[in-house]
Amino acid sequence: QWHANKKANALVYTRIAWLQKTSYWTGSNRQSLVSVSTMAQPNHRYGGHRDLEAVIDMDQPEMPTAKGGSRFSFTGGLEFTSLTYTVVKKQRGVGGEWEKKDVDLLHEITGYAPKGCVTAVMGPSGAGKSTFLDALAGRISSLDGRVALDGVEMSPSVIKRSSAYVMQDDRLFPMLTVYETLLFAADFRLGSAVSPSDKKLRVDNLIEQLGLTTSRNTYIGDEGTRGVSGGERRRVSIGVDIIHGPALLFLDEPTSGLDSTSAHSVIEKVHDIACAGSTVVLTIHQPSSRILQLLDHLIILARGQLMYSGGPKEVTAHLGRMGRKVPKGENSIEHLLDVIQEYDQSEFGVNALAEFCLTGLKPRKLAAEGISTVSSIPPTPVGPGGEDFDHSLRSQHSKSPWSGAQFTPSRRPRKDQSGKSQNPPRYPKNVPHRAMNIACLRESVA
Ligand SMILES: Nc1ncnc2c1ncn2[C@@H]1O[C@H](COP(=O)(O)OP(=O)(O)OP(=O)(O)O)[C@@H](O)[C@H]1O
């Protein structure tokens, strides 16, 4: 198996060497390679196989255009306005017959991801986190809405070319060492414009930045051959995608499958990358309290709709404006996720929370809720001019403006007097998916 793998990879290298000699392999076309790690591997999301030719975009790169010539007074980062992604789904009608229906996987999402910060996309399973990341990263061509980087509107293809995207299922060559993998990536992405000694220097710096010094000469390995640990592997994977210093970095579930320590270490390195001036957007499931402290900005989704956009510290105020106090000792973000779930299972659905996020119109009180809804706090600003975030902070200080935030270690289930948990499981399988509501909302909006 080892020899077979080696032979297969040797074939890939030969092919790359050939491509490097051809005129296709020059300048910014090199940047359009999705990742060394994704070569000749099944396509991430939309099926099909991505072979070597498919990952090389042979078109000339487009230049970013500022449509309408307008620029926001925004100090940098990614802004997105009214992002909507609609797919046609086949559904059974009332009479049992199949009918096609438009369903919004993302509905009118507006917000921003500040430069120099880690923006985390959170929400329950199926909320649309990965779809949203794909939308921001220019991986959905039929997207409605606007995405701009540093005030300049960008087409999906431009964003795709000028950003790095670290996928969940990293594919690295098992028989290369960490150093060889990163050097190969440097060669691949930087081309002949950068001298071999500069590439080695970049790799050395990156190894240090990613905390991989001790595993520098360790093989990546695979199921058959012991290699680097899961956390190290994920960091190598990130290194492969950032060796050329992209201004925009997207990571889909960078902590999935990692233990708490490795997950923290990965996010710590990602945080360092952001501090160096990149705009970083990642999706994450139930981050630990330690990781929460490394997240600078949150975008919380449910059923493809925006539930919250702002700093982690502002979640309590956001809940206050909704008339929902965070119980003493409870993590505000987890409480917001609980509230989202409660609405999702209620007659109002999450649409009420999306509307609150958009307009500040307070959601109707739930029947089971015994909490005051009286609030005089103004609604959360979700746009780039929002006051809940000082954009200048991160460019001046490498430390997160929210790094002093205190989070409780984990959510304790609320219990009634009989000792039964009052927190129902999130999105239980036996509860019919309300959102198919998204389609209904769409109709009502229309
Ligand atoms: N191309 C597609 N066509 C139809 N439905 C899709 C398509 N892509 C995603 N979906 C649906 O959109 C919803 C959101 O999917 P997505 O993977 O973005 O959610 P997620 O929040 O990342 O979930 P998880 O946390 O479980 O990974 C899901 O219900 C999924 O089945």
Side-chain angles (χ1 to χ4, degrees):
Q1 182 63 37
W2 175 264
H3 287 294
N5 278 345
K6 207 151 186 158
K7 205 170 165 189
N9 284 306
L11 278 172
V12 174
Y13 294 142
T14 313
R15 195 71 191 275
I16 292 162
W18 176 79
L19 282 164
Q20 279 182 313
K21 282 182 197 151
T22 69
S23 55
Y24 298 139
W25 198 258
T26 55
S28 51
N29 277 341
R30 189 177 300 271
Q31 304 269 333
S32 69
L33 287 167
V34 174
S35 160
V36 173
S37 60
T38 57
M39 282 189 311
Q41 299 295 343
N43 204 343
H44 168 55
R45 171 167 287 275
Y46 298 109
H49 280 263
R50 190 199 293 275
D51 62 14
L52 204 52
E53 285 81 2
V55 295
I56 299 169
D57 193 336
M58 293 178 187
D59 295 343
Q60 286 304 307
E62 293 167 30
M63 291 309 289
T65 53
K67 285 190 185 158
S70 65
R71 275 172 179 266
F72 293 104
S73 55
F74 179 54
T75 55
L78 205 60
E79 299 154 76
F80 39 93
T81 315
S82 299
L83 292 192
T84 300
Y85 177 43
T86 310
V87 295
V88 179
K89 275 195 174 176
K90 265 188 169 180
Q91 287 177 351
R92 279 218 188 268
V94 192
E97 74 290 357
W98 285 104
E99 53 187 44
K100 286 183 178 172
K101 235 183 164 185
D102 281 357
V103 175
D104 283 1
L105 298 187
L106 298 175
H107 184 81
E108 300 279 340
I109 310 233
T110 296
Y112 58 99
K115 191 180 195 153
C117 291
V118 177
T119 296
V121 183
M122 294 172 67
S125 184
K129 300 182 291 294
S130 301
T131 307
F132 176 65
L133 198 73
D134 283 354
L136 286 186
R139 287 162 173 259
I140 297 177
S141 50
S142 58
L143 184 76
D144 284 336
R146 176 182 179 276
V147 180
L149 182 64
D150 297 340
V152 180
E153 187 166 346
M154 310 277 272
S155 69
S157 62
V158 172
I159 294 208
K160 198 169 167 188
R161 284 159 208 232
S162 48
S163 63
Y165 191 110
V166 181
M167 295 173 179
Q168 253 184 67
D169 47 350
D170 46 18
R171 307 281 165 96
L172 301 171
F173 296 121
M175 68 290 298
L176 294 187
T177 64
V178 167
Y179 178 75
E180 287 165 347
T181 302
L182 294 173
L183 192 61
F184 184 64
D187 214 25
F188 213 63
R189 290 193 179 274
L190 299 169
S192 53
V194 179
S195 70
S197 58
D198 280 350
K199 284 177 195 161
K200 283 181 183 164
L201 194 66
R202 269 199 195 216
V203 170
D204 285 337
N205 289 339
L206 195 59
I207 284 179
E208 204 180 309
Q209 188 190 359
L210 294 170
L212 292 165
T213 311
T214 53
S215 48
R216 178 191 172 94
N217 297 317
T218 308
Y219 284 106
I220 297 297
D222 56 15
E223 315 82 52
T225 320
R226 188 88 195 93
V228 291
S229 72
E232 288 166 343
R233 188 186 167 91
R234 199 61 58 86
R235 279 181 271 150
V236 174
S237 205
I238 293 169
V240 162
D241 282 310
I242 63 162
I243 188 83
H244 57 301
L248 252 178
L249 176 62
F250 299 100
L251 303 106
D252 194 12
E253 294 282 353
T255 58
S256 74
L258 299 182
D259 61 68
S260 163
T261 310
S262 308
H264 180 249
S265 145
V266 165
I267 300 298
E268 221 173 28
K269 302 306 167 206
V270 167
H271 188 255
D272 291 345
I273 293 164
C275 288
S278 296
T279 302
V280 177
V281 187
L282 54 86
T283 60
I284 195 158
H285 255 120
Q286 301 200 319
S288 67
S289 55
R290 284 194 299 170
I291 288 181
L292 278 171
Q293 291 184 44
L294 296 168
L295 307 177
D296 305 306
H297 191 70
L298 301 180
I299 291 166
I300 300 182
L301 304 177
R303 306 286 184 203
Q305 301 186 75
L306 186 67
M307 300 286 109
Y308 176 75
S309 169
K313 264 187 163 178
E314 313 306 316
V315 173
T316 306
H318 179 82
L319 281 160
R321 285 187 283 269
M322 280 167 53
R324 301 293 298 254
K325 269 192 190 152
V326 181
K328 213 174 169 195
E330 192 159 325
N331 178 331
S332 57
I333 298 167
E334 290 188 338
H335 187 64
L336 177 57
L337 292 171
D338 284 346
V339 171
I340 292 170
Q341 187 206 7
E342 284 169 22
Y343 271 87
D344 188 57
Q345 292 173 1
S346 77
E347 55 185 314
F348 308 122
V350 294
N351 302 352
L353 301 182
E355 198 176 340
F356 171 66
C357 211
L358 204 64
T359 63
L361 192 71
K362 205 143 106 181
R364 298 273 296 277
K365 196 174 162 183
L366 296 177
E369 220 178 281
I371 301 164
S372 162
T373 57
V374 179
S375 169
S376 58
I377 309 170
T380 309
V382 292
E387 288 153 6
D388 62 339
F389 180 78
D390 180 353
H391 302 286
S392 62
L393 281 176
R394 284 303 294 273
S395 49
Q396 288 166 11
H397 310 286
S398 61
K399 212 164 178 280
S400 151
W402 288 286
S403 59
Q406 293 299 308
F407 295 96
T408 50
S410 65
R411 182 170 59 101
R412 287 188 307 278
R414 284 190 294 263
K415 294 194 174 171
D416 62 18
Q417 284 178 341
S418 65
K420 272 189 177 173
S421 171
Q422 289 181 338
N423 289 337
R426 284 188 192 135
Y427 291 80
K429 289 213 164 56
N430 58 351
V431 173
H433 269 197
R434 277 190 54 84
M436 310 306 134
N437 272 344
I438 293 172
C440 306
L441 172 76
R442 203 160 183 275
E443 277 166 14
S444 67
V445 168

